[in-house]
Amino acid sequence: MDDMRKELFYEQKNGYDLIDAKERLELEDYCRGYMDFLNDSRTEREAVKNAIAMAKEQGFTEYEPDMELKPGMKIYRNNRGKALMLAVIGKQDLSQGAVIAGAHVDAPRLDLKQIPMYENDEMCFFRTHYYGGIKKYQWVTIPLELHGVVALKSGEVLDVSIGREADEPKFVITDLLPHLAADQMKKTMKEGITGEGMQILIGSVPYADEGKDRVKLAVLSILKDMYDIDEEDFLSAELTAVPAYDVCEIGLDRSLIGGYGHDDRVCAYAELKAIFDVEDPERTCVCILADKEETGSDGVSGMQSAAFDCFMEDLCQSQGVALRRCYEKSFCLSADVSNAYDPLYPEVSEKRSEAKINYGMGISKFTGARGKSGTSDASAELVAYLRRLFADKSVVWQLCELGKVDQGGGGTIAMFMANRNIDTIDAGVPVLSMHAPFEVVAKFDCYMTYKGVLAAYGDI
Ligand code: MN
Ligand code: MN
């Protein structure tokens, strides 16, 4: 009878029961690289910058329109410093389609408003407008650092980073002491901290004169010294506050990684490492690091932008192939994180269908909410293709859904790829505390996601 069970039941195994000592070492090695990347990539711009530096080291060169493409060539296209596309040209031309992996490098954060600075009762603050889906109460009383750019009227663009280095100051949003929070504590978690209430403390010492707003003046004079900017320059700045936590190992067994922005830089890194490992592929491999996923993929750097189509059309044209012919034969892994089942909150999950920590790369046939609304829903044939591929290449993976039916839901870039007539499926790393200032992933799943993308790239 047990043989029959073995034959007929679908049983999943903990990933650590499926790999040997050698692979465990590879996994650790891979994750060290990822932790460094995540630590240094606090915004989409920084992720793109770091990815380009890594790509150049791997022999990728910047693509120029009308460049002659030869099999094995490694190219990249920088979309305004906020999104990136890389490709390794295949032996077959693009009429056979491309293998695409698409992740996003933006993450929830607190953007500064365009006129952010003001003084109140001799303390100086930045006002913010949050970006992406956050639980606001998680973002107060944690150390924050400031990243971004200030674009000057002259056209010059200044890079800003304050707080990443150990000797640099950090910032914070304060909260009420429990002693005086009786009224606040009666509010719901959604209402306890408001959007307009998320103001970042940036200074308290007055300028040595007798005019008004002396603290603000003193803070501006510091910024003048550091960056030679004034208050008006904030109008054309993109500055954002992100958690000032270092990426670190979690657990006595060090099996997990804690940090800000795993969603979705963990998949971005997996794609990058995978495309770096590709040599002379049969089909052209494409790696996308997109922006604006957390706000709906709109805009020039989002996945709904024609920037991707332009890049692919350029490649197709140089081979005399119609873009539409390429798309209809292409395959896309929408590489984005999924929710990891959390034993502390079992009530939101249907356990059998949720991704589990250490069970490998999570594949979502569909996303969406309220009866699968807003999903591209990959075909059964596509899932079967991945079953075959991952079995051949020893990729540990699991099928997953985002929570119980009608509990909520969410989307990725998958539908925007599928709408282009590209066969697309969601695949990525399960995350605990997704969208929190400090998210947690399992090293095992990070490594298997890299292996999964590599398997897709390497498949003929
Ligand atoms: Mn995501
Ligand atoms: Mn997200």
Side-chain angles (χ1 to χ4, degrees):
M1 285 303 273
D2 276 353
D3 279 356
M4 207 169 148
R5 284 196 178 81
K6 213 174 159 194
E7 190 188 335
L8 296 181
F9 285 173
Y10 170 55
E11 300 281 0
Q12 290 174 279
K13 282 198 178 130
N14 188 295
Y16 280 95
D17 294 329
L18 298 169
I19 57 168
D20 58 18
K22 184 172 161 272
E23 199 154 31
R24 266 187 95 146
L25 289 177
E26 285 170 15
L27 176 164
E28 292 293 340
D29 196 41
Y30 172 84
C31 287
R32 266 190 293 278
Y34 169 54
M35 289 171 71
D36 287 344
F37 173 78
L38 185 63
N39 223 10
D40 292 341
S41 307
R42 318 299 283 198
T43 62
E44 70 282 354
R45 286 180 191 264
E46 291 177 4
V48 165
K49 200 167 158 188
N50 292 332
I52 290 174
M54 288 159 66
K56 281 183 170 166
E57 261 178 44
Q58 299 291 326
F60 282 74
T61 53
E62 187 158 15
Y63 176 73
E64 307 284 351
D66 302 324
M67 203 181 230
E68 200 196 329
L69 299 176
K70 297 193 188 81
M73 260 175 81
K74 301 177 173 191
I75 53 170
Y76 72 86
R77 184 81 172 263
N78 175 353
N79 182 4
R80 299 166 172 88
K82 294 178 159 207
L84 184 67
M85 295 160 284
L86 305 100
V88 180
I89 306 303
K91 289 182 209 154
Q92 300 173 5
D93 73 21
L94 284 158
S95 65
Q96 300 308 303
V99 185
I100 303 161
H104 65 93
V105 285
D106 61 319
R109 63 190 191 222
L110 306 176
D111 286 345
L112 300 198
K113 293 192 178 194
Q114 296 318 124
I115 307 177
M117 198 188 290
Y118 84 110
E119 177 174 338
N120 191 3
D121 293 334
E122 294 176 89
M123 287 160 75
C124 193
F125 298 90
F126 279 144
R127 286 185 173 274
T128 66
H129 194 142
Y130 66 96
Y131 173 99
I134 61 167
K135 292 160 86 175
K136 299 184 189 79
Y137 69 85
Q138 294 178 330
W139 294 70
V140 299
T141 67
I142 63 166
L144 299 168
E145 49 191 56
L146 202 63
H147 292 251
V149 297
V150 181
L152 301 176
K153 219 163 31 176
S154 66
E156 192 189 349
V157 179
L158 306 173
D159 282 319
V160 172
S161 172
I162 308 172
R164 186 81 292 265
E165 302 301 326
D167 60 347
E168 289 178 341
K170 296 181 176 38
F171 308 92
V172 72
I173 298 171
T174 55
D175 193 7
L176 265 181
L177 62 170
H179 315 64
L180 298 179
D183 291 339
Q184 184 199 39
M185 296 294 271
K186 284 182 205 145
K187 295 180 182 170
T188 64
M189 288 163 98
K190 193 174 173 189
E191 293 159 341
I193 303 291
T194 62
E196 287 293 349
M198 300 186 78
Q199 299 175 21
I200 301 171
L201 180 59
I202 54 169
S204 66
V205 176
Y207 196 81
D209 74 357
E210 306 205 327
K212 65 166 195 147
D213 286 346
R214 295 163 66 213
V215 177
K216 178 176 163 181
L217 185 63
V219 169
L220 278 169
S221 76
I222 293 168
L223 286 172
K224 175 81 180 163
D225 287 347
M226 288 176 79
Y227 296 102
D228 197 19
I229 55 173
D230 57 35
E231 191 180 11
E232 192 182 329
D233 291 324
F234 282 98
L235 295 175
S236 51
E238 271 178 12
L239 294 169
T240 189
V242 299
Y245 298 131
D246 282 338
V247 179
C248 63
E249 294 177 312
I250 297 283
L252 286 170
D253 58 9
R254 298 171 180 263
S255 61
L256 307 152
I257 303 171
Y260 161 68
H262 285 310
D263 175 9
D264 181 35
R265 293 166 195 149
V266 68
C267 295
Y269 185 78
E271 283 183 9
L272 282 172
K273 289 298 276 184
I275 202 160
F276 294 161
D277 285 351
V278 166
E279 289 289 343
D280 295 321
E282 288 295 321
R283 291 206 285 170
T284 295
C285 298
V286 178
C287 166
I288 304 168
L289 308 189
D291 181 29
K292 294 282 177 281
E293 192 279 338
E294 297 295 359
T295 53
S297 296
D298 294 291
V300 283
S301 51
M303 212 55 242
Q304 298 196 65
S305 160
F308 174 69
D309 309 291
C310 289
F311 177 62
M312 291 303 293
E313 188 153 18
D314 277 352
L315 301 190
C316 284
Q317 230 165 38
S318 72
Q319 298 182 343
V321 172
L323 179 67
R324 62 183 189 279
R325 291 283 97 81
C326 170
Y327 276 179
E328 70 189 3
K329 286 207 170 173
S330 292
F331 166 64
C332 177
L333 275 183
S334 159
D336 204 345
V337 299
S338 52
N339 176 50
Y341 171 76
D342 189 337
L344 298 188
Y345 301 96
E347 64 278 10
V348 301
S349 296
E350 192 272 286
K351 203 171 165 182
R352 293 171 58 81
S353 301
E354 202 90 358
K356 287 184 277 297
I357 285 292
N358 290 329
Y359 276 67
M361 185 186 205
I363 303 286
S364 299
K365 185 176 180 298
F366 55 85
T367 58
R370 301 173 308 280
K372 301 192 180 182
S373 281
T375 182
S376 49
D377 199 357
S379 69
E381 289 86 341
L382 211 56
V383 182
Y385 164 72
L386 286 184
R387 283 176 65 191
R388 203 157 57 234
L389 179 66
F390 290 166
D392 286 351
K393 305 278 170 78
S394 305
V395 177
V396 181
W397 68 284
Q398 52 186 330
L399 210 65
C400 57
E401 246 183 88
L402 182 57
K404 275 184 179 166
V405 177
D406 287 339
Q407 187 70 45
T412 63
I413 64 159
M415 61 176 147
F416 306 117
M417 299 306 286
N419 290 348
R420 291 178 158 104
N421 196 23
I422 298 172
D423 271 316
T424 303
I425 189 163
D426 276 300
V429 177
V431 177
L432 291 164
S433 315
M434 195 198 292
H435 284 206
F438 192 77
E439 303 173 316
V440 175
V441 294
K443 287 179 178 176
F444 180 89
D445 304 326
C446 297
Y447 175 69
M448 279 301 157
T449 297
Y450 150 73
K451 268 187 80 171
V453 179
L454 187 59
Y457 279 153
D459 189 64
I460 300 159

